[in-house]
Amino acid sequence: MNQALQFPDREQWDDRRQAVCFPALNQGMQLNCAISGEELRLRYGAGDPLDLFRRHRWDLEEDAEQLIMKDQDDAEGWYWLSSDK
């Protein structure tokens, strides 16, 4: 894992986005990462999205790290984890 990249334990469910949103700190800058509840259920089965995220945190953070390193953010600067990336 990249030592300059950190993932604080501050994930939260966002009703508007229907996603678990979580921050990443890259060389002191905060970045926004997210994974939809639907994507979490596709990957890990039924369950509460926040609980699924917490149980699979390490894998999801690795996926987010890959997106960040490849600068694959959306038009709003968010890094969305999805199966098609």
Side-chain angles (χ1 to χ4, degrees):
M1 176 176 273
N2 182 344
Q3 293 299 318
L5 185 61
Q6 300 173 344
F7 293 93
D9 294 343
R10 295 194 318 244
E11 66 279 352
Q12 62 184 1
W13 177 254
D14 184 311
D15 276 328
R16 185 174 64 84
R17 290 184 173 88
Q18 290 292 292
V20 174
C21 300
F22 59 103
L25 299 174
N26 189 15
Q27 299 179 357
M29 276 187 60
Q30 182 169 315
L31 306 174
N32 296 310
C33 303
I35 184 168
S36 71
E38 180 180 350
E39 179 68 23
L40 284 162
R41 287 186 285 278
L42 283 171
R43 289 183 185 205
Y44 305 114
D48 173 69
L50 208 46
D51 183 52
L52 291 171
F53 177 88
R54 289 175 177 149
R55 283 191 280 146
H56 300 280
R57 170 185 296 282
W58 300 113
D59 293 333
L60 296 167
E61 288 176 354
E62 283 183 26
D63 290 352
E65 180 178 355
Q66 293 302 311
L67 291 176
I68 292 167
M69 294 300 107
K70 294 177 183 176
D71 289 323
Q72 291 183 329
D73 55 331
D74 69 9
E76 296 177 358
W78 282 72
Y79 293 89
W80 282 89
L81 281 67
S82 66
S83 298
D84 62 348
K85 297 232 179 202

